[in-house]
Amino acid sequence: MTALRPARWFRDFGRPPRILGLDVARGLAILGMAGAHVGVTEAFEWGDPTTWTDLVHGRSSILFALLAGVSIALMTGRDVLPERERLPGIRLNLVGRGAVIFVIGLALELLNTPIAVILTLYGLLYVAVIPVLRWRPRQLLLGAAVLALAGPALLALLSAVALQPFGAGIGFVLYGTYPITVWVALVLGGMALGRLRVQEVRTAVVALVVGVVLAATGYGLGALGAGTGLGGETGSIVSSSSASSGSESLSSSFFPDDVMPPSGWESYPEALAATDPLGSMVRAVFAVDPHSGGTAEILGSGGFALAVVALCLLLSRPLRWPLLPLGALGSMPLTAYSLHVVSVVLVAGPGGFIADNSFWALTVVALLLVTTLWAMFVGRGPLERLVGKGAAAMAAVPRR
């Protein structure tokens, strides 16, 4: 994207082939994650709009992952499956893109921030989807459904059978703040949406209906679990400090303290019984709290994210002008996310933490202003340019 003069930018930005609604949704995801990191929220109640800011917890990162899947579909052919001859280059492009995003995530973590940086896992997702690039929408949706319905329970069973193993890789991919079964399911769902002509109004309307149904199903399942004592308290709050530091993990949600296997068991059967495999699997199905990684959360928050994307697609047509700043922010999500993380470190210091809604509001205004001016006068975001160059460099590697 070449540098645009302001008048031309206002006229052309967000026009086809770019899809403004997706940029708007990405912008909301970035601002929501900023709120989850630095905002102070009260427990959500439908009847009290002042508590609705609590929705940023967990759902913002899920929205980000769903949109990642849509982006992958768009960059690999949109509604047309990529030709087999193009696959080697596309795979290398995705590997290069994911590698650069992964390194950016590591750089942000080196700042010693308490925020659970999502970019490292986000980079891995670009590699994880390589085997399914030629899957049709029906296959992608089936894969997403299997992971959403069976993945959490199987992960809980695996952890119980292995007596809750731990390690850097296990914590990072399976049982941390961002369990990969959750995120791959969301990315597959996003890819299916991207393959179904996401730019059309009909697709957005169907996505809105499906999103509402999934959200009702997931949150209803979570409420049922809470009412029967199987899924924990659906109304519990993930504080900004917990969500940021990644202290709440899938395993800690599925295994209460009274069934954690202590050391020194005389036999494996005794230790296995202490982990309560069946109970852990049931809790994994009904877990709905942010970052719990349960089936109820994937369905509920995934459906919520899908509905948000659909609404953004529908509203971006009649409300194009007022939504341009959000679109500009969403056109450079890596840059905006990184600026937010750096701002927290600069204000609070390495390892420091901020919980202040005024700072959240200031972050919102600053990100909207900076990204709009950058898009208007320069064009593509700086980190997006870096990722593009890394992807192009990897795809240009000569084949033997």
Side-chain angles (χ1 to χ4, degrees):
M1 181 175 179
T2 57
L4 301 177
R5 300 179 67 88
R8 184 182 172 192
W9 182 84
F10 278 107
R11 184 186 71 232
D12 295 343
F13 182 79
R15 302 289 190 188
R18 194 164 193 96
I19 303 174
L20 179 61
L22 297 179
D23 286 331
V24 171
R26 287 190 199 93
L28 289 176
I30 294 296
L31 298 181
M33 284 191 285
H37 297 154
V38 302
V40 179
T41 63
E42 299 180 22
F44 175 79
E45 295 182 14
W46 278 109
D48 185 0
T50 63
T51 67
W52 290 2
T53 54
D54 188 54
L55 291 173
V56 301
H57 292 295
R59 298 166 186 85
S60 300
S61 53
I62 281 179
L63 175 58
F64 199 50
L66 182 71
L67 288 164
V70 177
S71 297
I72 291 171
L74 295 181
M75 72 177 65
T76 57
R78 295 196 172 223
D79 56 309
V80 178
L81 297 180
E83 299 86 355
R84 294 186 184 277
E85 298 75 22
R86 294 180 54 224
L87 282 180
I90 292 175
R91 289 166 180 159
L92 289 173
N93 185 291
L94 290 175
V95 170
R97 190 175 297 272
V100 177
I101 294 173
F102 185 87
V103 171
I104 293 172
L106 288 182
L108 294 178
E109 291 182 354
L110 284 173
L111 297 177
N112 193 22
T113 172
I115 295 172
V117 175
I118 194 176
L119 296 186
T120 45
L121 182 67
Y122 193 72
L124 290 183
L125 291 175
Y126 280 85
V127 180
V129 300
I130 285 177
V132 302
L133 289 176
R134 282 186 50 82
W135 280 17
R136 300 185 182 279
R138 183 178 300 178
Q139 294 172 298
L140 293 168
L141 291 174
L142 179 60
V146 170
L147 284 174
L149 298 176
L154 291 177
L155 268 184
L157 176 63
L158 176 62
S159 182
V161 170
L163 305 184
Q164 298 192 8
F166 62 91
I170 291 175
F172 173 56
V173 176
L174 297 181
Y175 299 112
T177 306
Y178 307 118
I180 199 165
T181 50
V182 177
W183 305 103
V184 171
L186 295 166
V187 171
L188 292 182
M191 289 180 66
L193 179 61
R195 295 278 187 237
L196 292 171
R197 299 187 179 182
V198 66
Q199 71 275 11
E200 296 185 357
V201 173
R202 178 184 177 183
T203 301
V205 172
V206 173
L208 177 60
V209 174
V210 173
V212 171
V213 171
L214 286 176
T217 302
Y219 294 137
L221 187 65
L224 176 63
T228 57
L230 296 175
E233 299 180 3
T234 58
S236 63
I237 305 173
V238 179
S239 67
S240 54
S241 59
S242 173
S244 300
S245 63
S247 58
E248 175 174 287
S249 65
L250 181 146
S251 57
S252 65
S253 299
F254 294 165
F255 298 103
D257 291 338
D258 59 350
V259 297
M260 297 284 278
S263 59
W265 286 96
E266 294 182 359
S267 67
Y268 174 77
E270 290 178 328
L272 179 62
T275 64
D276 186 18
L278 180 59
S280 297
M281 294 177 67
V282 172
R283 285 188 291 274
V285 172
F286 290 99
V288 72
D289 291 334
H291 297 291
S292 63
T295 295
E297 186 200 10
I298 300 174
L299 295 178
S301 296
F304 177 86
L306 181 59
V308 168
V309 172
L311 285 173
C312 290
L313 290 168
L314 293 171
L315 295 177
S316 63
R317 297 172 184 269
L319 300 178
R320 177 179 178 272
W321 283 90
L323 290 177
L324 281 179
L326 261 178
L329 171 60
S331 70
M332 52 187 83
L334 294 178
T335 298
Y337 181 90
S338 300
L339 283 175
H340 157 62
V341 174
V342 171
S343 71
V344 173
V345 174
L346 289 177
V347 173
F353 177 73
I354 302 174
D356 186 340
N357 285 339
S358 296
F359 184 74
W360 181 13
L362 180 61
T363 298
V364 170
V365 173
L367 287 179
L368 288 172
L369 181 61
V370 169
T371 55
T372 299
L373 291 175
W374 184 280
M376 188 182 300
F377 290 100
V378 181
R380 197 177 186 188
L383 291 185
E384 284 68 27
R385 291 174 185 263
L386 179 63
V387 170
K389 289 181 179 179
M394 177 64 75
V397 173
R399 285 170 282 178
R400 297 180 179 179

